[in-house]
Amino acid sequence: MKVLVIGGSGQTGHRLCEILRQNEIEFLAPARSELDIADAQALHDILNEFQPSMVVNCSGYRSLSRAEQEPSLCFAINRDAIAALADLCHAMGMILIHLSSYLVFDGSKSEPYTEEDEPNPQGVLACSIWQGEQQIRDRCPRHIILRVGWVISARRENMVNRTLTALRLHKPITVASDKLGNPTPAENVAKVFMTILYQLDCDAQVFGTYHYAGVEAVSESKFNEVIYNEASRFEDLPINCIKVVETEQLERLRARRNDRLANRKILRTFGIHAKPWRTGLVRIMKKLYEQGS
């Protein structure tokens, strides 16, 4: 097994690189300064030189609000660069494993989304993610697309860091009591990738789209309350900054009632059991405060 990790400095990619290193698996994770995923020639050169058997793409444009202001950049990274990567992987005989998101769905379903549900992306970011998935399906038959829930970690911007920052600055946080999702520690997503890599290395014919999300769906407001309670073990924070509303009162792109994903297919195919997010959140908080965040 020889793995190229694109986006190795992000939440999931960073932890995946740590696990690959611990397992003494040969891998390369070029920094952003070394590889611009939107540069097709640079992609070709690094794939041609390193010759990985598998490529894991954890990179992507992720800002929900900024995407509306710079759609060209968003689509260039999430769709066009992925199309070029898929073409190269197929031409060079490499398996492409791609990190995607619950955002491909519109959030109107009353039950958790399965892989059989029809995507209906809303907004620039969601549309770019969905179109990126489609490019992979059309161009690289040997692929895995992994959609994940609300990814959390001690790295980069995510719901945990945003909430802590707002509380410390005494800035109001508006969260919905009727918006449901699955917090999903990046560490667990990285472990899922490792399980998939090992299966593919054994020539398992398991290509396709899968969902993975933390066990126990929770409302956005309840999750912020849990974040507050965990953080309060380390410092005094104002609880009155958290404003609880209903989904209709949120800005348009956040006004989604249902971000939940079902884990049944990944369990049937790989034997992967989704893990509870609460234990992961405790570890994330401990790491954040050890880092002096």
Side-chain angles (χ1 to χ4, degrees):
M1 186 192 309
K2 196 174 179 183
V3 183
L4 176 69
V5 180
I6 302 174
S9 63
Q11 295 186 79
T12 302
H14 182 264
R15 182 60 185 132
L16 176 59
C17 290
E18 290 180 336
I19 298 173
L20 288 166
R21 190 175 296 111
Q22 290 164 6
N23 286 273
E24 298 183 344
I25 294 170
E26 185 178 2
F27 76 96
L28 179 66
R32 192 176 302 177
S33 59
E34 299 171 313
L35 175 64
D36 176 2
I37 192 173
D39 184 338
Q41 185 61 52
L43 278 175
H44 173 274
D45 291 347
I46 202 162
L47 289 170
N48 189 53
E49 180 180 347
F50 185 59
Q51 288 292 315
S53 55
M54 287 173 269
V55 177
V56 182
N57 179 44
C58 298
S59 69
Y61 187 108
R62 306 294 187 207
S63 176
L64 189 65
S65 57
R66 287 205 311 271
E68 298 297 313
Q69 309 304 317
E70 47 187 22
S72 296
L73 178 60
C74 181
F75 276 100
I77 295 171
N78 287 352
R79 179 193 63 196
D80 302 340
I82 299 308
L85 178 61
D87 280 340
L88 288 167
C89 286
H90 180 53
M92 296 183 180
M94 301 163 186
I95 297 171
L96 175 56
I97 304 167
H98 177 72
L99 183 64
S100 189
S101 169
Y102 64 89
L103 284 171
V104 299
F105 301 110
D106 62 15
S108 63
K109 186 181 177 183
S110 60
E111 298 296 323
Y113 283 96
T114 72
E115 294 81 355
E116 287 71 40
D117 286 318
E118 187 68 28
N120 184 26
Q122 304 295 302
V124 171
L125 179 62
C127 287
S128 72
I129 292 171
W130 167 237
Q131 290 183 29
E133 285 191 8
Q134 292 291 71
Q135 295 299 318
I136 294 172
R137 294 188 185 95
D138 291 344
R139 297 166 183 264
C140 185
R142 296 204 307 157
H143 71 262
I144 298 283
I145 295 171
L146 182 66
R147 296 177 182 146
V148 295
W150 296 344
V151 177
I152 56 173
S153 74
R155 294 178 62 83
R156 298 297 180 88
E157 182 179 339
N158 61 76
M159 198 178 291
V160 175
N161 288 324
R162 284 196 300 271
T163 297
L164 285 177
T165 299
L167 289 172
R168 287 167 178 164
L169 296 175
H170 291 242
K171 292 176 62 177
I173 311 165
T174 303
V175 291
S177 60
D178 56 345
K179 178 178 181 176
L180 298 175
N182 303 88
T184 309
E187 177 178 8
N188 296 344
V189 180
K191 290 176 179 177
V192 169
F193 274 140
M194 277 306 308
T195 300
I196 293 171
L197 287 169
Y198 277 124
Q199 292 268 352
L200 293 171
D201 194 47
C202 294
D203 295 325
Q205 300 300 301
V206 288
F207 304 115
T209 301
Y210 297 89
H211 290 177
Y212 180 81
V215 171
E216 186 193 349
V218 65
S219 70
E220 186 180 50
S221 59
K222 179 63 178 176
F223 185 53
N224 273 263
E225 180 185 326
V226 176
I227 294 170
Y228 170 83
N229 289 337
E230 285 296 324
S232 294
R233 296 168 50 220
F234 299 93
E235 63 176 315
D236 293 327
L237 293 168
I239 186 64
N240 59 352
C241 290
I242 300 177
K243 179 184 178 183
V244 180
V245 300
E246 293 188 350
T247 306
E248 288 78 4
Q249 295 172 265
L250 296 175
E251 59 190 58
R252 178 179 64 87
L253 293 176
R254 288 188 56 218
R256 309 162 48 89
R257 287 182 181 273
N258 181 27
D259 292 340
R260 294 172 295 165
L261 298 176
N263 293 304
R264 292 188 293 274
K265 183 180 177 183
I266 202 166
L267 173 61
R268 290 195 310 267
T269 306
F270 295 99
I272 294 173
H273 292 264
K275 294 185 177 182
W277 55 264
R278 289 178 184 269
T279 52
L281 179 62
V282 171
R283 287 194 294 271
I284 289 167
M285 284 296 188
K286 186 171 183 291
K287 190 169 185 178
L288 279 170
Y289 282 95
E290 285 175 348
Q291 293 172 348
S293 173

